[in-house]
Amino acid sequence: MKSKQVLEMTDKELQNKLNELKSELFFLRFKHATNQLTNPMVLVETRRDIARVKTVIRQRELARAKENEGSKG
């Protein structure tokens, strides 16, 4: 998943994608533990996608907090 794709998602879509990626990572770890995973780089890519989604969510939270702070004072 590219950063551009993540930035274009809405907040609701980001939460859904985060949940989807976490469950995917859970099952990938099981496959890796039982030696059924053919490409272990999929684990790394999934973790990076989770990090990208979390980063965008946090950036938006901080932007909203800054907007609220600016409108108060």
Side-chain angles (χ1 to χ4, degrees):
M1 176 185 310
K2 301 285 184 183
S3 299
K4 187 175 179 181
Q5 292 172 324
V6 176
L7 289 171
E8 293 172 351
M9 291 181 168
T10 64
D11 292 341
K12 181 96 174 147
E13 290 173 334
L14 285 172
Q15 285 298 330
N16 291 339
K17 188 66 174 177
L18 182 60
N19 291 336
E20 178 186 318
L21 288 169
K22 283 184 177 182
S23 67
E24 182 181 340
L25 183 62
F26 178 78
F27 290 112
L28 286 173
R29 284 182 176 154
F30 269 111
K31 283 186 175 184
H32 185 65
T34 58
N35 292 324
Q36 295 176 350
L37 192 61
T38 56
N39 184 5
M41 282 303 293
V42 176
L43 284 168
V44 175
E45 292 169 7
T46 305
R47 282 200 314 263
R48 286 181 182 166
D49 288 342
I50 289 172
R52 279 188 193 100
V53 170
K54 283 185 171 184
T55 299
V56 171
I57 290 172
R58 183 65 178 149
Q59 285 173 341
R60 291 181 183 180
E61 286 175 1
L62 291 174
R64 276 191 229 106
K66 194 171 186 178
E67 287 175 6
N68 290 339
E69 185 179 295
S71 63
K72 288 182 182 178

